[in-house]
């Protein structure tokens, strides 16, 4: 589907609270977009490397010398081709490495440049000519790798479960972080496509959903300047919920078998697959018809 003239759309999946479903959602969406025929590049910006571990053997991520931190340093990076059974598009991964945890510990992060990743994904022909979407999985906390993801994004998706801490993380992001990112980026549009509920029980009621949508809308309108609010989609919650699903429980922590776990979980028409594809369609439609909150 790639056309040379259209640069890839960068979508960053973020919430500075850990365990909110960032990595799981990134993997699910990458698979779903690629199964529709899009060429999708995934960037794992988290030194915990959970996302990379869904696609590569642990021995391959123990010591990475051409992954996302190298990319951010302006060094050579390598896009790993991921071959999954039932996808039509191309799926590529720039991994994180477990050695990056040591880089962080030793203060060896690349010099602070919030645009470190943006520069690479907007300029490298191997990305701009080959991919329709770049999906960035970010770490929890607000340290440079998270900020690289925010500054690289055309669009942001915020996963949240129904835990209070997860929802608080979402508020913090909207109120304290996004205004700053938007200000520094100036005219470069950054749009919050929505909050994706994930890992929510099936007993979740429509009324709770509606109340939450109203509360988030009110929070944004009351506490954010309109220049920010108009970059948040008018109905903050995506209608599609990725419910709690035993196939996803601890997906990233399970011992690897011969199969890629994502393929096993998504290749047939399960209820999970339908949810993920439905969320994908909502995302594509919000990108095409963006309507801000104010
Ligand atoms: N829909 C779901 N059903 C069951 N478990 C889930 C679901 N979504 C996420 N999880 C689990 O929740 C935990 C946190 O998810 P993860 O994607 O690693 O979050 P984050 O990247 O934000 O830290 C993981 O153990 C993951 O397997
Ligand atoms: Mg994660």
């Amino acid at each position: 589907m790639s056309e040379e003239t259209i640069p890839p759309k960068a979508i960053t999946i973020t919430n500075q609270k850990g365990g909110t479903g960032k990595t799981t959602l990134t993997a699910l969406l990458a698979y779903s977009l690629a199964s529709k025929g899009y060429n999708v590049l995934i960037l794992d910006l988290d030194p915990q490397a959970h996302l990379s571990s869904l696609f590569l053997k642990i021995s391959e991520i123990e010591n990475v010398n051409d992954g996302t931190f190298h990319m951010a340093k302006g060094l050579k990076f390598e896009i790993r081709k991921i071959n999954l059974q039932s996808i039509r598009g191309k799926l590529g991964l720039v991994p994180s490495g477990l050695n990056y945890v040591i880089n962080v510990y030793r203060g060896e992060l690349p010099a602070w440049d919030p645009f470190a990743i943006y520069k690479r994904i907007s300029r490298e022909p191997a990305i701009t000519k080959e991919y329709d979407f770049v999906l960035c999985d970010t770490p929890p906390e607000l340290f440079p790798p998270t900020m690289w993801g925010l500054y690289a994004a055309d669009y942001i998706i915020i996963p949240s479960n129904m835990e209070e801490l997860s929802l608080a993380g979402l508020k913090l992001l909207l109120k304290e972080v996004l205004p700053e990112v938007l200000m520094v980026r100036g005219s470069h549009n950054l749009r919050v496509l929505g909050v994706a509920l994930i890992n929510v029980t099936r007993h979740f009621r429509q009324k709770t959903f509606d109340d939450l949508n109203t509360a988030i809308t009110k929070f944004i309108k009351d506490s954010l300047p309109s220049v920010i609010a108009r970059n948040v989609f008018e109905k903050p919650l995506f209608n599609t919920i990725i419910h709690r699903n035993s196939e996803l429980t601890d997906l990233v922590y399970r011992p690897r078998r011969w199969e890629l776990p994502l393929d096993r979980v998504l290749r047939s028409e399960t209820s999970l697959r339908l949810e993920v594809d439905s969320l994908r369609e909502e995302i594509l439609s919000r990108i095409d018809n963006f309507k801000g909150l104010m």
Side-chain angles (χ1 to χ4, degrees), residues 30-149:
Y31 186 100
S32 180
L33 284 164
S35 73
K36 195 172 176 175
Y38 291 107
N39 295 333
V40 183
L41 176 65
I42 331 174
L43 301 188
D44 186 355
L45 296 175
D46 188 350
Q48 296 291 324
H50 282 146
L51 184 66
S52 304
S53 80
L54 286 178
F55 300 103
L56 304 175
K57 295 195 188 86
I58 298 302
S59 57
E60 291 171 290
I61 56 172
E62 257 170 355
N63 196 11
V64 169
N65 56 20
D66 50 12
T68 47
F69 277 33
H70 288 79
M71 196 177 183
K73 281 182 175 172
L75 301 171
K76 189 179 80 60
F77 65 96
E78 167 97 18
I79 298 174
R80 274 45 167 202
K81 299 279 165 358
I82 308 295
N83 296 311
L84 297 178
Q85 279 187 12
S86 56
I87 61 171
R88 295 191 286 133
K90 194 160 62 178
L91 191 58
L93 166 74
V94 182
S96 178
L98 296 173
N99 48 315
Y100 289 165
V101 177
I102 304 297
N103 294 144
V104 173
Y105 168 66
R106 294 194 179 138
E108 293 167 353
L109 281 185
W112 171 240
D113 173 5
F115 292 100
I117 290 288
Y118 171 77
K119 287 176 185 163
R120 302 305 299 273
I121 65 174
S122 58
R123 291 176 194 167
E124 295 287 338
I127 298 176
T128 56
K129 292 197 172 161
E130 302 287 329
Y131 289 94
D132 302 300
F133 289 96
V134 176
L135 298 190
C136 299
D137 181 26
T138 52
E141 316 293 339
L142 289 167
F143 73 132
T146 316
M147 302 313 289
W148 298 334

Side-chain angles (χ1 to χ4, degrees), residues 18-24 198-199 242-245 248-253:
T20 57
K22 292 179 284 296
T23 300
T24 309
I198 179 166
N199 204 1
I242 310 288
H243 287 100
R244 182 164 303 157
N245 186 303
L248 293 180
T249 312
D250 296 331
L251 180 72
V252 297
Y253 307 122

